[in-house]
Amino acid sequence: MRNFIQPGNSLAIAVPYATGVSSSQGVLVGALFGVAAVDGLQNAMIEAATQGVFDLTKEPALAIGAGVRVFWDNTNRRITTTATGNFQVGIATQAALAANATVRVWLNRVPAAGA
């Protein structure tokens, strides 16, 4: 295959946030979501993982059950279960208590409804 570029489990992206991004934080560029592999200032090109399972910051005081679809709140840069106005990024692989700061997420763009 002469047109093969790469597997796609990580991609180089430009940091969209004025405050930059830290390694292990989620980052959303258009319809592309990934987890930053390194720190980066706004507009810097960084590598971001687009596949895998990651512990990501979640909405405070929010309990999330295993198997629940999760969304990226790009304004607050955290995981939520609120679909409206947010971007679906995957599924929680383990339950997270309201007291937990993070939730374990399998990055997987699944259909918005159904199985």
Side-chain angles (χ1 to χ4, degrees), residues 77-103:
R77 295 169 60 184
R78 63 189 181 199
I79 294 294
T80 183
T81 56
T82 303
T84 304
N86 296 311
F87 184 81
Q88 184 173 332
V89 296
I91 299 171
T93 63
Q94 295 179 356
L97 302 174
N100 296 136
T102 63
V103 60

Side-chain angles (χ1 to χ4, degrees), residues 55-79:
D55 287 332
L56 297 173
T57 302
K58 69 170 189 64
E59 182 179 336
L62 176 66
I64 301 175
V68 172
R69 294 172 195 269
V70 294
F71 303 82
W72 182 249
D73 171 353
N74 203 42
T75 301
N76 296 298
R77 295 169 60 184
R78 63 189 181 199
I79 294 294

Side-chain angles (χ1 to χ4, degrees), residues 2-26:
R2 293 181 296 182
N3 60 343
F4 178 79
I5 305 298
Q6 69 179 59
N9 50 352
S10 71
L11 298 171
I13 60 171
V15 176
Y17 308 118
T19 56
V21 69
S22 296
S23 174
S24 301
Q25 288 184 325

